[in-house]
Amino acid sequence: MEPIRSLALEKTFSTGAVLRGLDLAVPQGSIYGLLGRNGCGKTTLLNTLMGLSLPDAGRALVLGQALGRGCPKEKAAVAYVAQGELLPSWAPVRELITLEAELRPSFTADGLHAWLDAENLSPRRRVRDMSAGQRKRLELELALAGQPRVLLMDEPFAALDPVSHADFTEQLLAYAACHQPTILLSSHVLSDLERLCDRIGVLAKGVIAYEASLDDLKERTLLVTARGAVASQAPPAEGQIASYSAAGSTTWIIEGLQSVDVKRLEREGFRVSHANLEGLGVELIRSLDPRVC
Amino acid sequence: MEGLKLNASLGVPIYRQVMDGIREMIAAGVLKPGDRLPSIRELAGGMRINPSSAVKAYNELKHAGVIVLDQGRGTFVAERPGLVAENREALLRADLEALLVRARARGFSEQQVARALKAMVAERKDGS
């Protein structure tokens, strides 16, 4: 079974249903980017996978286990960098290192110490005396030092400055190349996901409404645009994923077009262009999760 | 890897950009036969790309005979003669494909591009 798996997952809060039968399977060694609008349930999904929130129905499994109670062996191999700041503010860095080292058998602090040296931070420094960016980086460094087999991250890079961001990304990807961990991260920064991920999924209306490998997305997905008024709103070819209208033109996001189809569409006056995640992501999310303002 | 330029937000898969970039560096003589290439770890970390993109690029280049994997020693630019000619053609193809993508994005059809290219070549002939 995939290291990260959810089956028909359901979760309802007093404000309404958030997860509505969500199925997710992140294959071994994959770096999976979770996209979706604020409040669409990304954090709920991650919390449920970590066993911090119990599902109303369905199953959330990490390394084959529901991580609620017990599972110390699995938990030692899973790291979660949650949203916000969770490290105790009074703690000196070295105590956090000692704690993590005791909890995680394969803990290796080399990268962490290299970062502390580069930042000129003493291990005696307390969490509260660090900048917000440093605190987040410390959380990420601690997670990676545990050499996790599964790593979940919720909006992990928002607080980092550009240099810290680039340095940590480099470290994360080098770790991924060596150890093939399975990584699930949520982010609104499409350019980040474009570099890091091999797969992306869009969470909308309580399910994974769209999922694709990034290579497929770039090789097989095209934007077909009709300028001016179109006679009908029907998609001009099969394989439609989504469509949207703006400024008098309509665009269809279409998968698996053959070159003969492209030629036909161009003859018929449509504009056909390749898609990247940055260009596509916004419209994809908008059309899968329309909200009336 | 110095000299390898990637644009993650281009509508071209990153593994293809890595392949094209390495081919280009070989054709330009920046990389020479027998030169050692970065490991998957160095490439993924250094270029900040998903490791599977790096693996896929190396596998395809190995398949095409552009690079060789020496078990335990690393990955190297192949020694085979004729490689450069092969690369030049691949590069031309890649350039033309990129041109078509850009032209399409600007609303030109492939026929229009072909006609424009033909006209340009004819013009040059007349001029010289």
Side-chain angles (χ1 to χ4, degrees):
Chain A
M1 186 192 274
E2 293 85 0
I4 300 173
R5 186 86 170 92
S6 86
L7 297 135
L9 203 57
E10 287 179 31
K11 183 76 187 177
T12 301
F13 294 110
S14 56
T15 47
V18 177
L19 307 179
R20 303 164 187 250
L22 187 142
D23 289 313
L24 172 73
V26 184
Q28 162 61 41
S30 182
I31 304 181
Y32 189 110
L34 196 57
L35 284 153
R37 303 192 63 177
N38 289 329
C40 74
K42 298 187 296 288
T43 301
T44 304
L45 172 62
L46 295 175
N47 282 340
T48 310
L49 283 164
M50 287 304 296
L52 301 171
S53 167
L54 289 176
D56 297 333
R59 306 182 76 192
L61 304 171
V62 175
L63 295 172
Q65 301 288 332
L67 299 181
R69 295 201 185 114
C71 321
K73 214 177 85 223
E74 284 78 14
K75 279 179 185 160
V78 178
Y80 182 31
V81 179
Q83 224 170 13
E85 293 184 9
L86 294 175
L87 295 175
S89 65
W90 53 266
V93 174
R94 62 171 177 206
E95 282 192 31
L96 294 170
I97 295 178
T98 309
L99 175 69
E100 287 288 326
E102 275 174 31
L103 291 171
R104 298 177 186 275
S106 36
F107 190 84
T108 314
D110 298 355
L112 183 52
H113 283 298
W115 170 66
L116 289 172
D117 287 348
E119 287 278 312
N120 215 358
L121 284 171
S122 153
R124 283 191 299 276
R125 180 79 68 107
R126 287 173 195 276
V127 168
R128 64 164 169 254
D129 298 326
M130 301 168 94
S131 73
Q134 286 173 332
R135 286 196 288 269
K136 197 68 199 180
R137 176 76 182 265
L138 176 60
E139 266 186 66
L140 290 162
E141 292 287 347
L142 284 167
L144 207 55
Q147 307 230 351
R149 285 164 57 204
V150 171
L151 176 58
L152 277 70
M153 299 187 283
D154 197 358
E155 285 291 340
F157 308 129
L160 304 189
D161 71 53
V163 175
S164 185
H165 181 174
D167 288 351
F168 182 75
T169 308
E170 179 173 342
Q171 221 178 308
L172 178 69
L173 287 163
Y175 174 76
C178 285
H179 299 274
Q180 285 92 43
T182 307
I183 300 175
L184 175 61
L185 77 154
S186 81
S187 176
H188 293 307
V189 187
L190 298 173
S191 56
D192 270 352
L193 298 179
E194 200 134 43
R195 275 187 173 279
L196 282 169
C197 299
D198 51 9
R199 288 190 83 72
I200 55 121
V202 178
L203 207 171
K205 297 175 180 167
V207 295
I208 300 292
Y210 174 76
E211 189 186 85
S213 93
L214 266 184
D215 287 346
D216 274 355
L217 184 90
K218 291 184 171 182
E219 282 180 334
R220 302 190 56 237
T221 309
L222 292 167
L223 301 175
V224 178
T225 305
R227 273 178 288 191
V230 280
S232 98
Q233 289 294 313
E238 278 177 30
Q240 178 189 343
I241 300 169
S243 72
Y244 56 94
S245 298
S249 71
T250 301
T251 297
W252 292 269
I253 301 169
I254 296 180
E255 200 171 52
L257 277 181
Q258 304 297 313
S259 57
V260 286
D261 300 323
V262 173
K263 288 200 179 101
R264 172 179 64 79
L265 289 168
E266 282 175 344
R267 258 200 319 276
E268 289 171 9
F270 291 96
R271 200 176 101 181
V272 183
S273 58
H274 274 268
N276 66 5
L277 187 58
E278 258 194 294
L280 193 67
V282 177
E283 300 310 337
L284 195 59
I285 298 166
R286 195 203 303 277
S287 64
L288 293 170
D289 192 357
R291 294 177 186 179
V292 185
C293 302
Chain B
M1 189 171 165
E2 230 167 292
L4 184 60
K5 301 237 180 331
L6 300 179
N7 179 358
S9 58
L10 208 64
V12 177
I14 291 183
Y15 81 92
R16 286 255 295 270
Q17 294 187 41
V18 174
M19 285 173 62
D20 293 347
I22 289 176
R23 283 198 146 117
E24 209 159 302
M25 286 165 79
I26 293 172
V30 180
L31 284 173
K32 295 184 177 60
D35 277 0
R36 190 179 173 279
L37 291 163
S39 67
I40 296 295
R41 180 186 190 280
E42 290 163 341
L43 187 61
M47 299 304 301
R48 298 202 297 281
I49 55 170
N50 185 291
S52 70
S53 297
V55 171
K56 207 163 165 184
Y58 274 14
N59 280 344
E60 301 246 333
L61 287 173
K62 203 171 66 188
H63 204 71
V66 177
I67 63 173
V68 286
L69 184 72
D70 189 339
Q71 218 42 268
R73 281 186 58 231
T75 306
F76 301 86
V77 178
E79 298 282 359
R80 227 179 61 193
L83 178 81
V84 175
E86 210 175 88
N87 265 318
R88 282 177 53 220
E89 263 181 45
L91 276 177
L92 179 64
R93 252 193 101 73
D95 281 347
L96 291 175
E97 266 169 29
L99 175 73
L100 281 180
V101 169
R102 274 205 305 276
R104 262 215 302 261
R106 288 179 188 148
F108 292 103
S109 73
E110 296 190 355
Q111 283 79 4
Q112 281 174 306
V113 175
R115 274 201 298 276
L117 197 60
K118 219 169 168 181
M120 193 187 278
V121 172
E123 245 171 61
R124 280 171 176 253
K125 261 189 204 146
D126 291 345
S128 60

